[in-house]
Amino acid sequence: MKAEIIAVGTELLLGQIANTNAQIISNALQEIGIDVYFHTCVGDNQERLQSVLETGLRRSDIIVLTGGLGPTKDDLTKETVAACLNLSLKLDKYSLDKIKSYFAKRGRPFTENNYKQALVPEGAIAIENKKGTAPGILLNKDGKIIIMLPGPPREMEPMLRDEVIPYLSKMNSSTIFSKVLKFYGIGESALEEKLEDLISKQTNPTIAPLAKMGEVTIRLTAKAENRMAAEKIIKPVEDEIIKRVGKFLYGYDDDSVEDIVARLLAKFNKTIAIAESCTGGLMAHKLTNIPGISRFFERGVVSYSNRSKEDLLNVNPDTLEKFGAVSEETAKEMAQGIRISSGTDIGVSITGIAGPDGGTPTKPVGLVYIGYSDSNICFAEKHIFIGERADIKEQSVNSAFHLVRKMIQDLGD
Amino acid sequence: MKAEIIAVGTELLLGQIANTNAQIISNALQEIGIDVYFHTCVGDNQERLQSVLETGLRRSDIIVLTGGLGPTKDDLTKETVAACLNLSLKLDKYSLDKIKSYFAKRGRPFTENNYKQALVPEGAIAIENKKGTAPGILLNKDGKIIIMLPGPPREMEPMLRDEVIPYLSKMNSSTIFSKVLKFYGIGESALEEKLEDLISKQTNPTIAPLAKMGEVTIRLTAKAENRMAAEKIIKPVEDEIIKRVGKFLYGYDDDSVEDIVARLLAKFNKTIAIAESCTGGLMAHKLTNIPGISRFFERGVVSYSNRSKEDLLNVNPDTLEKFGAVSEETAKEMAQGIRISSGTDIGVSITGIAGPDGGTPTKPVGLVYIGYSDSNICFAEKHIFIGERADIKEQSVNSAFHLVRKMIQDLGD
């Protein structure tokens, strides 16, 4: 089956946002073996939307529209689809109740223009929006499937995952299955060299390396009649890759390094506390995105001032005076200090210069020390990261998680 | 003049990358007053590219293509444009020299397939690529302007900025200018009802409301001969909007609430410290994304355990025992505790249940208390947020920043 994606919204054409919905939807469709041949963005304009929709209906079996489902007058998606297909719009009572209760829960008044959001074309099914008010719509008419989803990705994504993909999977008989292998500690070109013969003769599965933030991933993608057959095609290639570069492998698919760390903490029943300076809480934030982490994460400290390093982490004022806040010595004392004061098994620390200001010739922007402490060992690693403030924070945290991951894995060995 | 953007590349349709080029180009075109009416992505397929291109030539004056200019067999953009317009491809000697020297500089062999990159349609101008090998192409034929740029953003962007935009500016005499007003504390539909008459008669400027994470923005967009004239068109509409709903206005354009808080801290010379429980460091992370914030942000504490609330924030164990960690009383003591221990002017705290587990009938997932303390006042706000763990963290932090913003603004009143 051939699909295309139509995003509706003038904000896309003004360049205010990128069309990330098209990427997310394309990805999800290709995983269930549906080919996407076109993406289109069109503004909140009925005439132009209608022309795009008519083209789509001629050339594709499935059309996924995003945006233009809200309560306002320039939200025109449903109206235009209904007009194109000669359908009338009817009030969906269940959706109206859901929208009303959404407003009630938030103590906000339900205004008249919200009725519009509960209208669906006759014969269509409304898809509940658990994150917002505008329901999605699924319409199967004259051999064409038309799916309308709201524009905000956080509303769109759960509806895509929970309703649309399961519905379309049933319609399509071949599967595309991907497996991602994640590596740390080896560069993209070095990895590619070791796998060159495999990559050059790839057909099914395809082998696609991708570098990002000091990590390299390899996506293996197989096409087969079902998932198990696809997995069987991937297996020998995966085994060969692991044979050659397995020592750099740290995870699969959506695993983030913090997921791996959380699993290792649980597996070895270890507790952790985090002391951050230049990363400003990002490491604690990432770790606490993981449900249930409160059993293993005791506390975090964002010691932005010298005084807070002394008060909360017991860093020696002489150390700060002699070596500075960004130094191996301070990183070590921070890691040791947070571990001892919190009574955890592991203490980890980050101190560095995230920029754009604050760099000196001997301590440039991007210089970061990552400290580690457990009951046996205390040390700090020196890094120099390149990029802007946000990149340096991100890379520092990523490296700190990888350091903790390796140390806990060694405990287990 | 009407423009559209066509991105060529199967990787876009597979969802491997988002079409950020379209966003960048749209933004640049609207700044010089060129309306973009469509974005299209199409794969590396000559037939489908040709159909998209023919549609574009019918409806637009300017077509900007990205991607498909490389040396490989599936790079088809130039070939397809030339075929559509009945033009032959000719070798551009200057571009060939540039490509050869690019390879020589990097010590890489110049392979035969690179000749293809130096071919341009007859009558076209090559645009030098300073970051890579494939030159861009600018073609003005039969009243249509066709621009071809390479796919990688780092190659595309300098060519767009240095060559394409100056070229198109000369052709176009009008400007589009947008101003965004940001509101908090009022819903999208309530805001729209108050502005309904303005919205229904909008022409120039246009008035576009958009809701996101408990905030609503209104974009005013004017078209005029230059920026000053556009600002003059926007002014009376903006004034009228502010007259009606100005008490909910908190910022403009790219302002985030944390940007506003950082500016207010600087303006009133106030220092802040943050105590977070369920948000796990996200508030400190967001605040420390702002360069120079170390002058006003003293410390953060992520007090995930009860013990850390007692140790670092001086929360009374009896309070925790009697009211629980997620309570108005604990939130107040956390805010007060962090302010006093850090010696800052302001202390803010967040404690709640981010889920998915840990909720009870009386304290459900999404229940969050936000505490505030300064030398005059100490109180806590109760919220119930809806969504997943990450949404609850995000909304909690957003509300905490808005609370701090309002309190500092009141100090100034």
Side-chain angles (χ1 to χ4, degrees), chain A residues 6-19 40-46 48-49 66-69 72-77 151, chain B residues 5 22-23 26-27 30 34-39 176 178 202 206-210 219-222:
Chain A
I6 300 172
V8 187
T10 302
E11 67 278 16
L12 291 158
L13 298 179
L14 291 172
Q16 285 158 12
I17 52 171
N19 187 10
T40 309
C41 297
V42 59
D44 301 310
N45 173 291
Q46 185 143 18
R48 288 193 284 275
L49 173 55
T66 56
L69 298 180
T72 73
K73 289 204 181 65
D74 61 358
D75 291 308
L76 294 162
T77 301
Chain B
I5 299 166
Q23 183 185 12
S26 292
N27 223 314
Q30 77 106 11
I34 294 174
D35 289 320
V36 176
Y37 280 170
F38 302 95
H39 296 171
I176 296 176
S178 280
Q202 60 170 305
T206 57
I207 305 172
L210 190 74
R219 172 173 297 266
L220 302 173
T221 305

CSV table of all heavy atoms in Angstrom, one decimal, chain A residues 6-19 40-46 48-49 66-69 72-77 151, chain B residues 5 22-23 26-27 30 34-39 176 178 202 206-210 219-222:
chain,number,residue,atom,x,y,z
A,6,ILE,N,0.2,14.6,4.6
A,6,ILE,CA,-0.1,16.0,4.4
A,6,ILE,C,-0.1,16.7,5.7
A,6,ILE,O,-1.0,16.4,6.5
A,6,ILE,CB,-1.4,16.1,3.6
A,6,ILE,CG1,-1.3,15.4,2.3
A,6,ILE,CG2,-1.7,17.6,3.4
A,6,ILE,CD1,-2.7,15.3,1.5
A,7,ALA,N,0.8,17.7,5.9
A,7,ALA,CA,0.7,18.5,7.1
A,7,ALA,C,0.1,19.8,6.8
A,7,ALA,O,0.4,20.4,5.8
A,7,ALA,CB,2.2,18.7,7.6
A,8,VAL,N,-0.9,20.2,7.6
A,8,VAL,CA,-1.6,21.4,7.4
A,8,VAL,C,-1.3,22.4,8.4
A,8,VAL,O,-1.4,22.2,9.6
A,8,VAL,CB,-3.2,21.1,7.4
A,8,VAL,CG1,-4.0,22.4,7.0
A,8,VAL,CG2,-3.5,19.9,6.6
A,9,GLY,N,-0.8,23.6,8.0
A,9,GLY,CA,-0.5,24.6,9.0
A,9,GLY,C,0.4,25.7,8.4
A,9,GLY,O,1.5,25.4,8.0
A,10,THR,N,0.0,26.9,8.5
A,10,THR,CA,0.8,28.0,7.9
A,10,THR,C,2.1,28.2,8.7
A,10,THR,O,3.1,28.6,8.1
A,10,THR,CB,-0.1,29.3,8.0
A,10,THR,OG1,-1.3,29.1,7.2
A,10,THR,CG2,0.7,30.5,7.4
A,11,GLU,N,2.1,27.8,10.0
A,11,GLU,CA,3.3,27.9,10.8
A,11,GLU,C,4.5,27.1,10.2
A,11,GLU,O,5.6,27.4,10.3
A,11,GLU,CB,3.1,27.6,12.2
A,11,GLU,CG,2.7,26.1,12.6
A,11,GLU,CD,1.2,25.8,12.4
A,11,GLU,OE1,0.5,26.5,11.7
A,11,GLU,OE2,0.8,24.7,12.9
A,12,LEU,N,4.1,26.0,9.5
A,12,LEU,CA,5.2,25.2,8.8
A,12,LEU,C,5.7,25.9,7.6
A,12,LEU,O,6.9,25.9,7.3
A,12,LEU,CB,4.6,23.9,8.3
A,12,LEU,CG,4.2,22.9,9.4
A,12,LEU,CD1,3.1,21.9,8.9
A,12,LEU,CD2,5.4,22.1,9.9
A,13,LEU,N,4.9,26.6,6.9
A,13,LEU,CA,5.3,27.3,5.7
A,13,LEU,C,6.0,28.6,6.0
A,13,LEU,O,6.8,29.1,5.2
A,13,LEU,CB,4.1,27.6,4.8
A,13,LEU,CG,3.3,26.4,4.2
A,13,LEU,CD1,2.2,26.8,3.4
A,13,LEU,CD2,4.3,25.5,3.4
A,14,LEU,N,5.8,29.1,7.2
A,14,LEU,CA,6.5,30.3,7.6
A,14,LEU,C,7.9,29.9,8.2
A,14,LEU,O,8.7,30.7,8.6
A,14,LEU,CB,5.7,31.1,8.7
A,14,LEU,CG,4.5,31.8,8.2
A,14,LEU,CD1,3.7,32.4,9.3
A,14,LEU,CD2,4.8,32.9,7.2
A,15,GLY,N,8.1,28.6,8.4
A,15,GLY,CA,9.4,28.1,8.9
A,15,GLY,C,9.5,28.3,10.4
A,15,GLY,O,10.5,28.2,11.0
A,16,GLN,N,8.3,28.4,11.1
A,16,GLN,CA,8.3,28.5,12.6
A,16,GLN,C,8.6,27.1,13.2
A,16,GLN,O,9.2,27.1,14.3
A,16,GLN,CB,7.0,29.0,13.1
A,16,GLN,CG,6.8,30.5,12.8
A,16,GLN,CD,5.4,30.9,12.8
A,16,GLN,OE1,4.5,30.2,13.2
A,16,GLN,NE2,5.2,32.2,12.4
A,17,ILE,N,8.2,26.1,12.6
A,17,ILE,CA,8.5,24.7,13.1
A,17,ILE,C,8.8,23.8,12.0
A,17,ILE,O,8.4,24.1,10.8
A,17,ILE,CB,7.3,24.1,13.9
A,17,ILE,CG1,6.0,24.2,13.1
A,17,ILE,CG2,7.1,24.8,15.2
A,17,ILE,CD1,4.8,23.4,13.7
A,18,ALA,N,9.6,22.8,12.3
A,18,ALA,CA,9.9,21.8,11.2
A,18,ALA,C,8.8,20.7,11.3
A,18,ALA,O,8.1,20.5,12.3
A,18,ALA,CB,11.2,21.1,11.5
A,19,ASN,N,8.6,20.0,10.2
A,19,ASN,CA,7.6,19.0,10.1
A,19,ASN,C,8.1,17.7,10.6
A,19,ASN,O,8.3,16.7,9.9
A,19,ASN,CB,7.1,18.9,8.6
A,19,ASN,CG,5.9,18.0,8.4
A,19,ASN,OD1,5.3,17.6,9.4
A,19,ASN,ND2,5.6,17.6,7.2
A,40,THR,N,3.7,16.4,2.0
A,40,THR,CA,3.4,17.8,1.6
A,40,THR,C,3.0,18.6,2.8
A,40,THR,O,2.4,18.1,3.7
A,40,THR,CB,2.2,17.7,0.6
A,40,THR,OG1,2.4,16.8,-0.4
A,40,THR,CG2,1.9,19.1,0.0
A,41,CYS,N,3.5,19.9,2.8
A,41,CYS,CA,3.0,20.8,3.8
A,41,CYS,C,2.2,21.9,3.0
A,41,CYS,O,2.6,22.4,2.0
A,41,CYS,CB,4.1,21.6,4.5
A,41,CYS,SG,5.1,20.6,5.5
A,42,VAL,N,1.0,22.2,3.6
A,42,VAL,CA,0.2,23.3,2.9
A,42,VAL,C,-0.4,24.1,4.1
A,42,VAL,O,-0.5,23.7,5.2
A,42,VAL,CB,-0.9,22.6,2.1
A,42,VAL,CG1,-1.8,21.7,2.9
A,42,VAL,CG2,-1.8,23.6,1.3
A,43,GLY,N,-0.7,25.4,3.8
A,43,GLY,CA,-1.1,26.3,4.8
A,43,GLY,C,-2.6,26.1,5.2
A,43,GLY,O,-3.3,25.3,4.6
A,44,ASP,N,-3.0,27.0,6.1
A,44,ASP,CA,-4.4,26.9,6.5
A,44,ASP,C,-5.3,27.6,5.5
A,44,ASP,O,-5.8,28.7,5.7
A,44,ASP,CB,-4.6,27.6,7.9
A,44,ASP,CG,-3.7,26.9,8.9
A,44,ASP,OD1,-3.8,25.7,9.1
A,44,ASP,OD2,-2.9,27.7,9.6
A,45,ASN,N,-5.4,27.0,4.3
A,45,ASN,CA,-6.1,27.6,3.2
A,45,ASN,C,-6.9,26.5,2.5
A,45,ASN,O,-6.4,25.6,2.0
A,45,ASN,CB,-5.1,28.2,2.3
A,45,ASN,CG,-5.6,28.8,1.0
A,45,ASN,OD1,-6.1,28.0,0.1
A,45,ASN,ND2,-5.6,30.1,0.8
A,46,GLN,N,-8.2,26.7,2.5
A,46,GLN,CA,-9.1,25.6,2.0
A,46,GLN,C,-8.8,25.2,0.5
A,46,GLN,O,-8.7,24.0,0.2
A,46,GLN,CB,-10.6,26.0,2.2
A,46,GLN,CG,-11.5,24.8,1.8
A,46,GLN,CD,-12.7,24.7,2.7
A,46,GLN,OE1,-13.1,25.7,3.4
A,46,GLN,NE2,-13.3,23.6,2.7
A,48,ARG,N,-6.1,25.6,-1.4
A,48,ARG,CA,-4.8,24.9,-1.6
A,48,ARG,C,-4.8,23.5,-1.0
A,48,ARG,O,-4.3,22.5,-1.5
A,48,ARG,CB,-3.7,25.7,-1.1
A,48,ARG,CG,-3.4,27.0,-2.0
A,48,ARG,CD,-2.1,27.6,-1.7
A,48,ARG,NE,-2.1,28.4,-0.5
A,48,ARG,CZ,-2.5,29.7,-0.5
A,48,ARG,NH1,-3.0,30.3,-1.6
A,48,ARG,NH2,-2.5,30.4,0.7
A,49,LEU,N,-5.4,23.4,0.2
A,49,LEU,CA,-5.5,22.1,0.9
A,49,LEU,C,-6.3,21.1,0.0
A,49,LEU,O,-5.9,20.0,-0.2
A,49,LEU,CB,-6.1,22.3,2.3
A,49,LEU,CG,-6.4,20.9,3.0
A,49,LEU,CD1,-5.2,20.1,3.1
A,49,LEU,CD2,-7.0,21.2,4.4
A,66,THR,N,-2.0,15.8,9.2
A,66,THR,CA,-1.8,16.3,10.6
A,66,THR,C,-2.1,17.8,10.6
A,66,THR,O,-1.8,18.5,9.7
A,66,THR,CB,-0.3,16.1,11.0
A,66,THR,OG1,0.6,16.8,10.1
A,66,THR,CG2,0.1,14.7,11.1
A,67,GLY,N,-2.7,18.2,11.7
A,67,GLY,CA,-2.9,19.6,11.9
A,67,GLY,C,-4.3,20.1,11.4
A,67,GLY,O,-5.0,19.4,10.7
A,68,GLY,N,-4.7,21.2,11.9
A,68,GLY,CA,-6.0,21.8,11.4
A,68,GLY,C,-7.2,21.2,12.0
A,68,GLY,O,-8.3,21.3,11.4
A,69,LEU,N,-7.1,20.6,13.2
A,69,LEU,CA,-8.3,20.0,13.8
A,69,LEU,C,-8.8,20.8,15.0
A,69,LEU,O,-9.7,20.3,15.7
A,69,LEU,CB,-8.0,18.5,14.2
A,69,LEU,CG,-7.6,17.5,13.2
A,69,LEU,CD1,-7.3,16.2,13.8
A,69,LEU,CD2,-8.7,17.4,12.1
A,72,THR,N,-10.4,26.6,16.1
A,72,THR,CA,-10.5,28.0,15.6
A,72,THR,C,-10.9,27.9,14.1
A,72,THR,O,-10.9,26.9,13.5
A,72,THR,CB,-9.1,28.7,15.7
A,72,THR,OG1,-8.2,28.1,14.8
A,72,THR,CG2,-8.6,28.6,17.1
A,73,LYS,N,-11.2,29.1,13.6
A,73,LYS,CA,-11.7,29.2,12.2
A,73,LYS,C,-10.7,28.8,11.2
A,73,LYS,O,-11.1,28.5,10.1
A,73,LYS,CB,-12.2,30.7,12.0
A,73,LYS,CG,-13.4,31.1,12.8
A,73,LYS,CD,-14.1,32.2,12.1
A,73,LYS,CE,-15.4,32.5,12.9
A,73,LYS,NZ,-15.0,33.1,14.3
A,74,ASP,N,-9.4,29.0,11.5
A,74,ASP,CA,-8.5,28.6,10.4
A,74,ASP,C,-8.1,27.1,10.5
A,74,ASP,O,-7.2,26.6,9.9
A,74,ASP,CB,-7.2,29.5,10.4
A,74,ASP,CG,-6.5,29.5,11.7
A,74,ASP,OD1,-6.9,28.8,12.7
A,74,ASP,OD2,-5.4,30.1,11.8
A,75,ASP,N,-8.8,26.3,11.4
A,75,ASP,CA,-8.6,24.9,11.4
A,75,ASP,C,-9.6,24.3,10.4
A,75,ASP,O,-10.8,24.2,10.7
A,75,ASP,CB,-8.9,24.3,12.8
A,75,ASP,CG,-7.7,24.8,13.8
A,75,ASP,OD1,-6.6,24.5,13.4
A,75,ASP,OD2,-8.0,25.3,14.8
A,76,LEU,N,-9.1,23.8,9.3
A,76,LEU,CA,-10.0,23.5,8.1
A,76,LEU,C,-9.9,22.0,7.6
A,76,LEU,O,-10.5,21.7,6.6
A,76,LEU,CB,-9.6,24.4,7.0
A,76,LEU,CG,-9.9,25.9,7.2
A,76,LEU,CD1,-9.1,26.7,6.2
A,76,LEU,CD2,-11.3,26.2,7.0
A,77,THR,N,-9.1,21.2,8.3
A,77,THR,CA,-8.8,19.9,7.7
A,77,THR,C,-10.1,19.1,7.5
A,77,THR,O,-10.3,18.5,6.5
A,77,THR,CB,-7.8,19.2,8.6
A,77,THR,OG1,-6.6,20.0,8.7
A,77,THR,CG2,-7.4,17.8,8.1
A,151,GLY,N,-2.0,18.4,15.2
A,151,GLY,CA,-0.7,18.8,14.9
A,151,GLY,C,0.4,18.7,16.0
A,151,GLY,O,1.5,18.3,15.7
B,5,ILE,N,8.9,24.7,-2.0
B,5,ILE,CA,10.1,24.0,-1.7
B,5,ILE,C,9.9,22.5,-1.9
B,5,ILE,O,9.0,21.9,-1.5
B,5,ILE,CB,10.6,24.3,-0.2
B,5,ILE,CG1,10.8,25.8,0.0
B,5,ILE,CG2,11.8,23.5,0.1
B,5,ILE,CD1,10.9,26.2,1.4
B,22,ALA,N,13.5,22.7,4.7
B,22,ALA,CA,12.3,23.5,4.3
B,22,ALA,C,12.0,24.6,5.3
B,22,ALA,O,11.6,25.7,5.0
B,22,ALA,CB,11.1,22.5,4.2
B,23,GLN,N,12.2,24.2,6.6
B,23,GLN,CA,12.0,25.3,7.7
B,23,GLN,C,13.0,26.4,7.5
B,23,GLN,O,12.6,27.6,7.5
B,23,GLN,CB,12.2,24.6,9.0
B,23,GLN,CG,11.9,25.6,10.2
B,23,GLN,CD,12.2,25.0,11.5
B,23,GLN,OE1,12.8,24.0,11.7
B,23,GLN,NE2,11.8,25.7,12.6
B,26,SER,N,12.1,28.4,4.3
B,26,SER,CA,10.9,29.1,4.4
B,26,SER,C,11.1,30.4,5.3
B,26,SER,O,10.6,31.5,4.9
B,26,SER,CB,9.8,28.3,5.1
B,26,SER,OG,9.4,27.2,4.3
B,27,ASN,N,11.8,30.2,6.4
B,27,ASN,CA,12.0,31.3,7.2
B,27,ASN,C,12.8,32.5,6.5
B,27,ASN,O,12.4,33.6,6.6
B,27,ASN,CB,13.0,30.8,8.3
B,27,ASN,CG,12.5,31.4,9.7
B,27,ASN,OD1,12.3,32.5,9.8
B,27,ASN,ND2,12.4,30.5,10.6
B,30,GLN,N,10.4,34.1,3.8
B,30,GLN,CA,9.3,35.0,4.4
B,30,GLN,C,9.9,36.3,4.9
B,30,GLN,O,9.3,37.3,4.8
B,30,GLN,CB,8.5,34.3,5.4
B,30,GLN,CG,9.0,34.1,6.8
B,30,GLN,CD,8.4,35.0,7.8
B,30,GLN,OE1,7.4,35.6,7.5
B,30,GLN,NE2,9.0,35.1,8.9
B,34,ILE,N,8.7,36.8,0.5
B,34,ILE,CA,8.2,35.8,-0.5
B,34,ILE,C,7.3,34.8,0.2
B,34,ILE,O,7.8,34.1,1.1
B,34,ILE,CB,9.4,35.1,-1.2
B,34,ILE,CG1,10.2,36.2,-2.0
B,34,ILE,CG2,9.0,34.0,-2.1
B,34,ILE,CD1,11.5,35.7,-2.7
B,35,ASP,N,6.1,34.6,-0.3
B,35,ASP,CA,5.2,33.6,0.3
B,35,ASP,C,5.6,32.2,-0.2
B,35,ASP,O,5.7,32.0,-1.3
B,35,ASP,CB,3.8,33.9,-0.2
B,35,ASP,CG,3.2,35.2,0.4
B,35,ASP,OD1,3.5,35.4,1.6
B,35,ASP,OD2,2.5,35.9,-0.3
B,36,VAL,N,5.6,31.3,0.8
B,36,VAL,CA,5.9,29.9,0.5
B,36,VAL,C,4.5,29.2,0.7
B,36,VAL,O,3.9,29.3,1.7
B,36,VAL,CB,6.9,29.3,1.4
B,36,VAL,CG1,7.1,27.8,1.2
B,36,VAL,CG2,8.2,30.0,1.3
B,37,TYR,N,4.0,28.6,-0.3
B,37,TYR,CA,2.7,28.0,-0.3
B,37,TYR,C,2.7,26.4,-0.1
B,37,TYR,O,1.7,25.8,0.3
B,37,TYR,CB,1.9,28.3,-1.5
B,37,TYR,CG,1.3,29.7,-1.5
B,37,TYR,CD1,0.7,30.3,-2.6
B,37,TYR,CD2,1.3,30.4,-0.3
B,37,TYR,CE1,0.1,31.6,-2.5
B,37,TYR,CE2,0.7,31.7,-0.2
B,37,TYR,CZ,0.1,32.3,-1.3
B,37,TYR,OH,-0.4,33.5,-1.2
B,38,PHE,N,3.8,25.8,-0.5
B,38,PHE,CA,3.9,24.4,-0.4
B,38,PHE,C,5.3,23.9,-0.1
B,38,PHE,O,6.3,24.5,-0.5
B,38,PHE,CB,3.5,23.7,-1.7
B,38,PHE,CG,2.1,24.0,-2.2
B,38,PHE,CD1,2.0,25.1,-3.1
B,38,PHE,CD2,1.0,23.4,-1.8
B,38,PHE,CE1,0.7,25.4,-3.6
B,38,PHE,CE2,-0.3,23.7,-2.2
B,38,PHE,CZ,-0.4,24.7,-3.2
B,39,HIS,N,5.4,22.8,0.7
B,39,HIS,CA,6.6,22.0,0.9
B,39,HIS,C,6.3,20.6,0.3
B,39,HIS,O,5.2,20.1,0.7
B,39,HIS,CB,7.0,21.8,2.3
B,39,HIS,CG,7.4,23.1,3.1
B,39,HIS,ND1,7.6,23.0,4.4
B,39,HIS,CD2,7.6,24.3,2.7
B,39,HIS,CE1,7.9,24.2,4.8
B,39,HIS,NE2,7.9,25.1,3.8
B,176,ILE,N,7.5,40.4,4.7
B,176,ILE,CA,6.5,39.8,5.7
B,176,ILE,C,7.2,39.9,7.0
B,176,ILE,O,8.4,39.5,7.2
B,176,ILE,CB,6.2,38.4,5.4
B,176,ILE,CG1,5.4,38.3,4.0
B,176,ILE,CG2,5.3,37.8,6.4
B,176,ILE,CD1,5.1,36.9,3.6
B,178,SER,N,6.6,39.1,11.3
B,178,SER,CA,5.7,38.5,12.3
B,178,SER,C,6.1,38.9,13.7
B,178,SER,O,7.3,39.1,14.0
B,178,SER,CB,5.8,37.0,12.2
B,178,SER,OG,5.0,36.5,11.2
B,202,GLN,N,-9.8,39.6,10.2
B,202,GLN,CA,-8.3,39.8,9.9
B,202,GLN,C,-8.0,39.7,8.4
B,202,GLN,O,-8.6,38.9,7.7
B,202,GLN,CB,-7.6,38.6,10.6
B,202,GLN,CG,-8.0,37.2,10.2
B,202,GLN,CD,-7.0,36.2,10.7
B,202,GLN,OE1,-5.8,36.2,10.5
B,202,GLN,NE2,-7.6,35.2,11.4
B,206,THR,N,-2.5,39.2,9.7
B,206,THR,CA,-3.2,38.0,10.1
B,206,THR,C,-3.0,37.7,11.6
B,206,THR,O,-2.0,38.1,12.1
B,206,THR,CB,-2.8,36.8,9.3
B,206,THR,OG1,-1.4,36.6,9.4
B,206,THR,CG2,-3.1,37.0,7.8
B,207,ILE,N,-4.0,37.1,12.2
B,207,ILE,CA,-3.9,36.8,13.6
B,207,ILE,C,-4.1,35.3,13.8
B,207,ILE,O,-5.2,34.8,13.5
B,207,ILE,CB,-5.1,37.5,14.3
B,207,ILE,CG1,-5.1,39.0,14.0
B,207,ILE,CG2,-5.1,37.3,15.8
B,207,ILE,CD1,-6.3,39.8,14.6
B,208,ALA,N,-3.0,34.6,14.3
B,208,ALA,CA,-3.1,33.2,14.4
B,208,ALA,C,-2.8,32.7,15.8
B,208,ALA,O,-1.7,32.8,16.3
B,208,ALA,CB,-2.1,32.5,13.4
B,209,PRO,N,-3.8,32.2,16.5
B,209,PRO,CA,-3.6,31.7,17.9
B,209,PRO,C,-3.1,30.2,17.8
B,209,PRO,O,-3.4,29.5,16.9
B,209,PRO,CB,-5.0,31.7,18.5
B,209,PRO,CG,-5.9,32.1,17.5
B,209,PRO,CD,-5.3,32.1,16.2
B,210,LEU,N,-2.2,29.8,18.8
B,210,LEU,CA,-1.7,28.5,18.9
B,210,LEU,C,-1.5,28.1,20.3
B,210,LEU,O,-1.0,28.9,21.1
B,210,LEU,CB,-0.3,28.4,18.1
B,210,LEU,CG,0.3,27.1,17.9
B,210,LEU,CD1,-0.4,26.3,16.8
B,210,LEU,CD2,1.8,27.3,17.5
B,219,ARG,N,0.2,34.9,16.8
B,219,ARG,CA,1.1,35.4,15.9
B,219,ARG,C,0.4,36.4,15.0
B,219,ARG,O,-0.6,36.1,14.3
B,219,ARG,CB,1.7,34.3,15.0
B,219,ARG,CG,2.6,34.7,13.8
B,219,ARG,CD,3.2,33.6,13.2
B,219,ARG,NE,4.1,32.9,14.1
B,219,ARG,CZ,5.4,33.1,14.2
B,219,ARG,NH1,6.0,34.0,13.4
B,219,ARG,NH2,6.1,32.4,15.0
B,220,LEU,N,1.0,37.6,15.0
B,220,LEU,CA,0.5,38.7,14.1
B,220,LEU,C,1.5,38.8,12.9
B,220,LEU,O,2.7,39.0,13.1
B,220,LEU,CB,0.5,40.0,14.9
B,220,LEU,CG,-0.4,40.0,16.1
B,220,LEU,CD1,-0.2,41.3,16.9
B,220,LEU,CD2,-1.8,39.8,15.8
B,221,THR,N,1.0,38.7,11.7
B,221,THR,CA,1.9,38.7,10.5
B,221,THR,C,1.4,39.8,9.6
B,221,THR,O,0.2,39.7,9.1
B,221,THR,CB,1.9,37.3,9.9
B,221,THR,OG1,2.2,36.3,10.8
B,221,THR,CG2,2.9,37.3,8.7
B,222,ALA,N,2.3,40.7,9.2
B,222,ALA,CA,1.9,41.8,8.3
B,222,ALA,C,2.7,41.7,7.1
B,222,ALA,O,3.9,41.3,7.1
B,222,ALA,CB,2.0,43.1,9.0
